[in-house]
Every structure is written in C-alpha cells, then in structure tokens.
Amino acid sequence: EAIAACARGGIATKMITGDQPGTARAVATTLGILVDGESPVLVGSEMDALDAAEAPARIRETRVFSRVTPDRKIGIVRALQEDHEVVAMTGDGVNDAPALRQANVGIAMGQGGTAVARDAADIVLTDDNFATIEHAIEEGRGAIDNVIRYLAWALPTNMGEGLIILVSVLLGTPLPILPAQILWVNLTTAVFLGMSLAIEAKDRDIMDRPPRDIHGSLISGEIVRHILFVGILVVAGTGALFMWERGSGLSEDQARTAAVNLLILVEILCLLSYRTEHFAFRWSQLRTNWWMLWGIGIQVALQLAFTYWSPLQHAFGAAEVPLLTWAKVVAIGMVIGTAVEVEKHLLRPHAHRFRS
C-alpha cells in the first residue's frame, strides 16, 4: 500500500539487492514494485557494460537491480542525481553506507541496521518500516501546504493594509484605518485565525499529486497575482465603506471602526476559502478543524469589544456603530469573499493544485 501511494504521488520506488535476479523479481512483483510487462531486472554485471550515454536512461527506467555491489549502489544514486532526481536511499548494512551518504536523504534502519549505516544516514527509522517513509512524506506535504496556505492568507490582507495607508497619504485624504488599528488587526488575527491553519488537516488527495519543484519558490506567480488581487479588493472595499459612512453622517472614528470590522470579516472569509484551496468551500468541512471555529468565535467577540467597550475604544480610536453599518460591512465583505472564491476557481485554475 505504501509503495502504491508513493507511485500515485510521483515517487518511483526502486529495489537494489544482492540477491539473484529471480528472487529479486519475485519479491518486487509481490510488493508491486514490478508488474507484468515492466522493465527487466538489471544485473550488476550488466550495469558495467553500459556506456556513459546509455546508463542514466537505463537506470532511470529500471525498477529492480540485482547482484549489486556497494560501488554500484552509489553509482545508481549518482546517476539518478545527475538526471535531476531527488534520491532517498534506505539501507541497513555497512555496504549501504556510501550510498546513504551520497543520497539526498539517507534513511537507515534503526532496529536491524548497523551503527555504520545509522551514522551515515540523515534519518533513522525506529520501526524499520517502509510505510513510515510514506507517512512522513504525507506529513511533509501537509506541512508545506499549510505554510503556503498561511502565506496566501496573510500576505494579501497585509498588503491591503499597507496600501490603505499609502493611497490615503498620496491622495491627502483621512486614513480609513489608523496604524494602531492595523496593529490590533495583525495581533489578533495572527493568533486566533492564522494559527489555526498550522493544524489544518491534510487534503484527501495529498498523495495523488506530483512532488513540488525543490528549486521553486513557495510564493508562486499565481499567488503573487492573488496577493495583488485581494490587496486591491481590500483597499477598494475599506475605502468605499469609509467614504460611504462619512457621507452618511458618521464620525471619522465610527467610519474607521466600520472599516476595521470589514477588514476582519474579509480575513475570516479568506481563511475559510484558503483552508479548502483544493476544493470548493463547504460548511461541512469546518468540522475537521474545531480550533478554527473557536478562533473565529474569539475574533468576533474581540471585534465586538473593540467596537463597544470603552477601554478598547479609547486605546484604538474606535466608536460604536449603528446596526445599518453592520449590514453594510457584511454586504461588502460577502462581495469580496465571493470575488476571492471566483478568482480561486476561474482566474487561477491551477492554484488549487499546490505542489508539495
């Protein structure tokens, strides 16, 4: 099962053994490394007969190597690396140590392995179970996904906050949100909203995706365009609401309070959208992350205190707002949230396939 999961995830499993070709083929077929009609077992002596131009392609296509000596093991690893592959090598004996050291990730057996193999490796398996490697890959992909989710959530709104100040200064208009209020937003949302992304469950298709490019950036071009898109929406939405409330007769403090609450609502809606980056958002999926529900609840309570509790009002320049203002906040927030979902599925058709 672990070998099949690796295959779905774009990870080729190769078996290198000192046994006879017949034994190697029988074991590899039982495990699913080989199926009928695939490449034949490559014997060590045959490797020596390959010319330099032919060897990399033959080694890449071969799944099972038999009668392999330690020097040939390290040659296999080097040939794959020269072919731009990332190689994880497992082993337990002294003869595996050179290849374990050469591989990108050397994985030694902790129970049956020798001390030499463990010293040469980067990782030691305490249970000597290949499935543990596959589980570790799943966890690693999930961790990378959550890092990317957090960046895709935090950077657009942070950029929008900066643009709000910049645009207001350039236009010479009153600030829709004060610097102290931006500090309030960042402190509260980072703790009660952003941290919940760190424990987001792995996507159900996480092992059905190819590996991400190790030379690629976590911030792809699609995410950069997304950051700009949401940042502009935040500036336009908060600026429009601030001007609307000022035109309706509210004070600057009340209009700014409305703008801050809109910014928080947008961050909540974006949080819900980004945690399901691979699929359309469904309310039923919230049950998989109760910490996020608690975080959203605490954030809403904090915003009510920010708006109506006098100590926080004085500290951050907030003021009570009428019920109609809340309706405007929700309406504009839902428009922005809908635009983010549309952008996710239409304008960024490949962004729902994080490479991890």
Side-chain angles (χ1 to χ4, degrees):
E1 292 179 1
I3 291 170
C6 287
R8 292 195 306 272
I11 303 164
T13 303
K14 300 180 184 294
M15 188 174 76
I16 306 174
T17 177
D19 286 324
Q20 296 290 341
T23 304
R25 173 174 287 279
V27 173
T29 301
T30 301
L31 293 175
I33 297 175
L34 279 182
V35 295
D36 292 340
E38 286 192 323
S39 61
V41 175
L42 184 61
V43 181
S45 58
E46 297 174 345
M47 291 178 55
D48 297 336
L50 298 175
D51 58 47
E54 180 187 4
R58 184 71 183 279
I59 290 175
R60 182 178 65 251
E61 296 168 358
T62 300
R63 296 290 186 88
V64 180
F65 302 83
S66 71
R67 306 302 294 170
V68 177
T69 57
D71 60 318
R72 290 169 182 156
K73 289 183 181 181
I74 196 171
I76 292 171
V77 173
R78 284 174 175 164
L80 292 170
Q81 290 173 328
E82 290 171 1
D83 200 33
H84 308 292
E85 297 286 356
V86 178
V87 181
M89 173 73 184
T90 64
D92 60 357
V94 175
N95 60 344
D96 296 314
L100 290 172
R101 180 71 70 183
Q102 175 65 35
N104 299 87
V105 182
I107 306 173
M109 305 297 128
Q111 293 181 343
T114 62
V116 174
R118 291 195 297 270
D119 290 341
D122 303 292
I123 298 173
V124 177
L125 290 180
T126 58
D127 58 3
D128 290 6
N129 190 342
F130 179 85
T132 302
I133 301 174
E134 189 269 331
H135 294 325
I137 294 171
E138 285 191 31
E139 293 299 326
R141 291 187 175 197
I144 291 292
D145 275 1
N146 287 344
V147 169
I148 297 175
R149 283 191 182 102
Y150 183 85
L151 294 175
W153 169 76
L155 294 181
T157 50
N158 285 346
M159 180 179 182
E161 294 165 2
L163 286 176
I164 291 170
I165 302 294
L166 178 62
V167 171
S168 299
V169 170
L170 292 177
L171 296 179
T173 60
L175 295 177
I177 299 178
L178 297 174
Q181 294 170 340
I182 290 178
L183 177 62
W184 161 267
V185 171
N186 289 340
L187 286 176
T188 57
T189 58
V191 174
F192 298 108
L193 298 183
M195 289 299 291
S196 63
L197 285 176
I199 57 174
E200 184 62 35
K202 300 185 295 292
D203 288 321
R204 58 179 179 266
D205 72 336
I206 199 163
M207 288 304 290
D208 294 332
R209 298 182 250 150
R212 59 185 293 269
D213 182 4
I214 62 171
H215 301 295
S217 172
L218 290 178
I219 306 298
S220 64
E222 290 174 334
I223 293 181
V224 171
R225 290 192 295 272
H226 165 72
I227 291 171
L228 294 173
F229 177 75
V230 177
I232 292 172
L233 286 180
V234 169
V235 173
T238 54
L241 180 61
F242 177 80
M243 295 173 61
W244 190 1
E245 294 305 272
R246 288 291 290 144
S248 300
L250 270 63
S251 66
E252 285 191 359
D253 286 347
Q254 288 177 307
R256 288 189 179 112
T257 301
V260 171
N261 284 313
L262 173 61
L263 183 58
I264 293 292
L265 177 59
V266 169
E267 293 210 20
I268 291 174
L269 294 175
C270 287
L271 184 75
L272 296 175
S273 177
Y274 300 153
R275 72 175 295 264
T276 57
E277 184 70 17
H278 301 275
F279 314 100
F281 170 73
R282 290 187 291 272
W283 288 106
S284 61
Q285 293 170 334
L286 286 176
R287 291 176 296 182
T288 64
N289 191 341
W290 289 103
W291 287 107
M292 184 171 290
L293 289 177
W294 278 105
I296 292 173
I298 294 173
Q299 187 67 56
V300 170
L302 287 173
Q303 285 311 115
L304 292 175
F306 173 86
T307 305
Y308 296 106
W309 191 35
S310 58
L312 288 180
Q313 288 178 337
H314 295 313
F316 295 100
E320 295 184 10
V321 296
L323 186 60
L324 180 60
T325 297
W326 285 109
K328 296 176 183 178
V329 168
V330 173
I332 297 177
M334 294 305 296
V335 169
I336 296 176
T338 301
V340 170
E341 277 288 294
V342 170
E343 184 258 353
K344 180 173 73 174
H345 293 286
L346 296 182
L347 303 183
R348 292 187 298 137
H350 303 295
H352 64 287
R353 284 289 181 264
F354 283 148
R355 299 299 186 220
S356 54

